Amino acid sequence: MTENKKIITEEQKKLARYAKAMGHPIRMYVLNLLSSQSCCYSGDLTEILPVAKSTLSQHLKELKDAGLIQGETEAPRIKYCINKTNWQEAQYLFKKYLKI
Amino acid sequence: MTENKKIITEEQKKLARYAKAMGHPIRMYVLNLLSSQSCCYSGDLTEILPVAKSTLSQHLKELKDAGLIQGETEAPRIKYCINKTNWQEAQYLFKKYLKI
DNA sequence: GTCATTGTTCGTAAAATACCGAACAAATAT
DNA sequence: ATATTTGTTCGGTATTTTACGAACAATGAC
């Protein structure tokens, strides 16, 4: 087949990717926190959230990989913030597809 | 521990549940379709989408389990529609948490 | 240097997800 | 009654996700 049936759009894939990253209570909590306040340190989260620090680290990595947050070294800690560009894109896509 | 630290709210859990259901391109496609037009039959989707009908059936089941769509028997076919109540809740929650 | 702090990575295990084809059920049509 | 249509369920497999503790790096403090 030379022609490529693109039934599912790139936007839908992108949105699904963001949605997937948001699809866990802990990650949702972190996103909610970071979109409310400016930033936070993962140490703070470790104390509050009911998971091992290694597990939290994995969740943060997923949010990073999805592009929703970013971490900045502030030795010996790491400061996490929202990735504004991608967050705005996610906002736009959700808005568009949820018809909000 | 008698006291229960509820760090993660029920709303956040609910939103994560919806987001998880949206976290796959095929499910995103179906949701987008059903929120645009009124309804569709899964047979139509089977023809369009690049997955086996059994796989599609599973995806539809997940959307159903998450409460985002509902199926109505119209023998021998099944008509799928958006679950308006929960869809509205999802819209509300995304709007609130994404600050759209 | 040594110690403490912070967070990632590693190794492992259990559960969930994604996918397929085949078998099955339910209803209509012949 | 038999065949056809439609979609789910079953059995199986591969991959991904979630979770933990222990080990490891990197930095700052003493």
Side-chain angles (χ1 to χ4, degrees):
Chain A
M1 252 227 247
T2 51
E3 87 174 292
N4 184 4
K5 286 194 201 174
K6 285 195 186 181
I7 286 83
I8 297 171
T9 66
E10 289 307 311
E11 272 197 351
Q12 286 168 339
K13 286 183 194 171
K14 231 180 218 177
L15 185 50
R17 182 77 184 83
Y18 286 136
K20 191 181 179 189
M22 294 169 69
H24 190 288
I26 286 185
R27 295 196 292 267
M28 200 60 240
Y29 174 87
V30 173
L31 282 175
N32 184 217
L33 187 73
L34 289 185
S35 66
S36 305
Q37 24 175 278
S38 50
C39 294
C40 81
Y41 298 94
S42 49
D44 307 340
L45 297 171
T46 310
E47 289 192 10
I48 293 171
L49 293 169
V51 284
K53 62 178 180 173
S54 55
T55 304
L56 178 66
S57 184
Q58 270 187 58
H59 284 301
L60 292 174
K61 182 173 173 359
E62 282 205 42
L63 288 173
K64 242 188 295 177
D65 290 348
L68 290 173
I69 67 170
Q70 56 197 161
E72 189 188 332
T73 300
E74 228 175 64
R77 298 183 297 173
I78 294 170
K79 192 174 72 174
Y80 281 102
C81 310
I82 282 283
N83 182 318
K84 276 187 187 171
T85 307
N86 292 333
W87 182 250
Q88 278 170 14
E89 186 185 39
Q91 284 176 316
Y92 163 75
L93 288 174
F94 276 105
K95 192 173 183 173
K96 178 173 177 183
Y97 281 83
L98 288 168
K99 298 174 185 66
I100 302 174
Chain B
M1 252 233 250
T2 53
E3 88 173 292
N4 185 2
K5 287 196 205 172
K6 285 194 183 181
I7 286 84
I8 297 171
T9 66
E10 290 306 310
E11 273 196 351
Q12 285 168 340
K13 287 183 193 170
K14 232 179 216 175
L15 186 50
R17 182 77 183 80
Y18 287 135
K20 192 181 178 187
M22 295 167 69
H24 189 287
I26 287 185
R27 297 197 292 268
M28 200 61 239
Y29 174 87
V30 173
L31 282 176
N32 185 217
L33 187 74
L34 290 183
S35 67
S36 303
Q37 26 174 278
S38 50
C39 293
C40 81
Y41 297 94
S42 50
D44 307 340
L45 297 171
T46 310
E47 289 191 13
I48 294 171
L49 294 169
V51 283
K53 60 178 180 171
S54 55
T55 303
L56 177 65
S57 186
Q58 267 186 58
H59 284 302
L60 292 173
K61 183 173 173 357
E62 282 205 43
L63 288 173
K64 242 189 295 177
D65 290 348
L68 290 173
I69 68 171
Q70 57 198 159
E72 189 186 332
T73 300
E74 229 176 64
R77 297 182 297 173
I78 294 171
K79 192 174 71 175
Y80 281 102
C81 310
I82 280 285
N83 182 318
K84 276 188 188 170
T85 307
N86 291 335
W87 181 251
Q88 278 170 13
E89 186 186 40
Q91 286 176 315
Y92 163 74
L93 289 174
F94 276 105
K95 193 173 182 172
K96 180 174 176 183
Y97 281 83
L98 288 168
K99 299 177 186 63
I100 302 173

